[in-house]
Amino acid sequence: MKNLHTRCCIAGGGPAGMMLGYLLARAGVDVVVLEKHGDFLRDFRGDTIHPSTLQVMQELGLLDAFLARPHNKARVLRVSIGGVEATVADFSRLRIPCKFIAMMPQWEFLDFLRDQAVLLPNFQLLLNAEAASLIEDSGRVAGVHVQTGDGLLVVTADLVIGADGRRSAIRAAAGLQVRDLGAPIDVLWMRLPVAPGDPTESGGRIDNGHFLAMIHRGDYWQCAYVIPKGGIAAIRAQGLEQFRTELTSVAPLFADRVQALQTWDDIKLLTVTVDRLERWWKPGLLCIGDAAHAMSPVGGVGVNLAIQDAVAAANVLAIPLMDRAVTADEITTLLAQVERRRSLPTRLTQAAQVAIQNRLLAPVLTGDRRQPLAMPWPVKLLNRWPALRALPAYAVGIGVRPEHVRSPKAN
Ligand SMILES: Cc1cc2nc3c(=O)[nH]c(=O)nc-3n(C[C@H](O)[C@H](O)[C@H](O)COP(=O)(O)OP(=O)(O)OC[C@H]3O[C@@H](n4cnc5c(N)ncnc54)[C@H](O)[C@@H]3O)c2cc1C
């Protein structure tokens, strides 16, 4: 058994954990990030980097290097509803430096953060390191037992961060209460080839019984087909050929290539969860990102909220953590501040996601497939008055209470 002591131990090397690890190390805080996988190469994750995150990159002086990584730019969001095209958001109308969503595979984003972070002397990333249980000392979380390829590692820390995603082992081990907001949908993810003459923009196709989101990845389409919660068994029972036919009926463009889906292994089920912790912290421990609030894929905002949490946490905690005279108990008194700062954006965003899931997606999925879907009046308004498209662009791209980097950079 090996031992390691650090000022801050972060469980989870996703967007929230890697960004907070970078920001704290940049300020001169000793930080260890634990990631249970050996790399960041996992498919079908949140892949949309919104203007709020691009703004953070700019504030860190990393924007140009970041945008040198492979990505596509989505300047508008278009949908097809009942076969009629409409533009529902236009980022070029926002008064911000980056007027687009960068569509970038999450592994590129995380590799980029890792490459920047490892340049900092205070940053340590342990791969194949799974946080297994918490160490408690006199009622305070004082570290983590970590399962590694080389056996058990004991990491003691003045602050532990749970950034281990929506199935967080840390929040479960800490006994933090979770409030489930419910989700009537699940999502099937798949890749389909791009063909000459395809549109180059990402978008959505909605009709009675169907909702398909299509992300243009340059050399392939990443598609998300929304199904009723628990509906996968019924879809499988109808057979793969019927599934291909349904895809083609909502996106005729794919008629010549749905055969690329050869087995059910080519179609990944992602169970949608929307929840949040009643309290994000306990002495010695703070949860952020999906570990504090699992987000629905609606709006593709989960990565960006995770980043905003990391920026807010660093703004509150970096200076006290840098000061060795500040005790672990004194740091605990600051954790509620981070929750207070991020609670409102989280609640409002989740409320909007739940409303869209329940009022728009669920009725569409159970609607009569023989009838074309009528365009809802808000979409008609957006289509008719282009200036209004700035409103959804702001809501999705920037969101409630955007964070700015205030944590310092060590000399
Ligand atoms: C179907 C679906 C589609 C989505 N699409 C989008 C989208 O397009 N855009 C968007 O912005 N968001 C999207 N999201 C949401 C987004 O993926 C998440 O909100 C975001 O990734 C949360 O970041 P995080 O760092 O908090 O957690 P995660 O990204 O879940 O990262 C947690 C990390 O912790 C690691 N880990 C887990 N347990 C342990 C442990 N015990 N010890 C050590 N490491 C551990 C994991 O391997 C992982 O790397 C989607 C979500 C779903 C379910």
Side-chain angles (χ1 to χ4, degrees):
M1 192 159 71
K2 292 183 187 153
N3 295 287
L4 180 68
H5 180 75
T6 183
R7 188 72 159 148
C8 179
C9 173
I10 299 175
M18 288 300 288
M19 179 55 96
L20 181 57
Y22 170 74
L23 288 170
L24 292 181
R26 175 179 173 269
V29 177
D30 284 339
V31 57
V32 172
V33 178
L34 310 169
E35 169 52 50
K36 72 174 176 182
H37 291 102
D39 57 38
F40 300 121
L41 263 178
R42 281 167 300 288
D43 216 344
F44 304 130
R45 306 284 297 265
D47 289 345
T48 54
I49 306 301
H50 288 209
S52 60
T53 299
L54 296 171
Q55 201 149 327
V56 166
M57 290 296 184
Q58 190 187 42
E59 289 166 6
L60 292 169
L62 300 176
L63 185 63
D64 290 343
F66 179 65
L67 292 178
R69 295 263 167 158
H71 69 282
N72 294 325
K73 293 183 176 65
R75 298 178 197 280
V76 294
L77 294 182
R78 287 195 222 283
V79 287
S80 155
I81 299 180
V84 181
E85 298 281 334
T87 302
V88 291
D90 184 349
F91 298 97
S92 68
R93 292 179 173 275
L94 300 181
R95 286 192 207 134
I96 49 169
C98 294
K99 299 172 191 290
F100 56 85
I101 291 180
M103 302 286 193
M104 181 184 284
Q106 199 179 103
W107 66 81
E108 284 287 352
F109 179 55
L110 295 176
D111 274 354
F112 177 80
L113 283 179
R114 189 259 330 268
D115 290 354
Q116 298 300 323
V118 294
L119 301 175
L120 303 166
N122 307 78
F123 181 85
Q124 217 181 326
L125 171 65
L126 303 183
L127 294 173
N128 296 311
E130 179 166 4
S133 60
L134 293 174
I135 300 166
E136 303 222 14
D137 181 13
S138 313
R140 181 177 71 78
V141 173
V144 186
H145 290 120
V146 186
Q147 201 60 56
T148 74
D150 297 334
L152 194 64
L153 171 70
V154 176
V155 181
T156 51
D158 295 322
L159 176 64
V160 172
I161 300 285
D164 51 343
R166 62 202 189 121
R167 295 203 184 84
S168 170
I170 294 288
R171 77 183 190 185
L176 295 173
Q177 294 298 308
V178 182
R179 182 166 175 211
D180 187 357
L181 304 187
I185 56 166
D186 286 330
V187 180
L188 301 179
W189 286 95
M190 65 215 94
R191 285 176 177 216
L192 286 169
V194 161
D198 278 0
T200 52
E201 281 161 352
S202 302
R205 287 175 176 264
I206 311 170
D207 212 338
N208 268 326
H210 303 288
F211 186 108
L212 180 73
M214 298 157 50
I215 302 175
H216 196 281
R217 283 256 175 269
D219 50 353
Y220 65 93
W221 287 101
Q222 181 167 319
C223 298
Y225 188 64
V226 182
I227 62 170
K229 182 106 219 134
I232 184 66
I235 290 174
R236 281 180 172 231
Q238 287 177 353
L240 195 51
E241 193 47 44
Q242 176 61 24
F243 180 68
R244 294 191 194 109
T245 306
E246 293 201 5
L247 268 189
T248 307
S249 74
V250 65
L253 151 95
F254 291 146
D256 59 353
R257 61 198 99 152
V258 281
Q259 295 301 330
L261 302 171
Q262 290 183 348
T263 72
W264 288 110
D265 289 342
D266 295 326
I267 299 155
K268 307 272 182 279
L269 170 69
L270 278 146
T271 306
V272 175
T273 307
V274 187
D275 67 28
R276 63 174 173 259
L277 294 180
E278 299 285 4
R279 199 175 73 173
W280 295 22
W281 61 276
K282 67 187 276 189
L285 169 73
L286 172 70
C287 289
I288 61 169
D290 272 17
H293 47 74
M295 304 303 291
S296 160
V298 170
V301 292
V303 168
N304 304 280
L305 256 78
I307 297 295
Q308 298 280 305
D309 284 0
V311 173
N315 286 348
V316 172
L317 298 170
I319 291 177
L321 283 169
M322 276 158 59
D323 183 351
R324 284 269 155 203
V326 178
T327 65
D329 288 336
E330 286 167 330
I331 288 164
T332 283
T333 63
L334 301 168
L335 303 181
Q337 265 186 48
V338 181
E339 178 182 340
R340 270 200 301 279
R341 174 85 201 162
R342 296 305 306 154
S343 176
L344 180 75
T346 302
R347 283 164 186 261
L348 291 178
T349 309
Q350 287 184 326
Q353 291 184 319
V354 168
I356 290 170
Q357 284 179 172
N358 294 343
R359 297 207 195 133
L360 178 75
L361 295 182
V364 161
L365 295 182
T366 52
D368 182 350
R369 295 183 176 195
R370 289 162 305 182
Q371 303 290 328
L373 185 66
M375 179 125 13
W377 65 263
V379 179
K380 280 187 190 157
L381 268 183
L382 291 167
N383 215 21
R384 178 134 189 224
W385 303 99
L388 294 179
R389 295 173 198 161
L391 299 174
Y394 189 89
V396 170
I398 301 287
V400 181
R401 194 182 274 168
E403 301 292 343
H404 296 281
V405 178
R406 313 238 183 269
S407 52
K409 181 177 182 185
N411 293 325

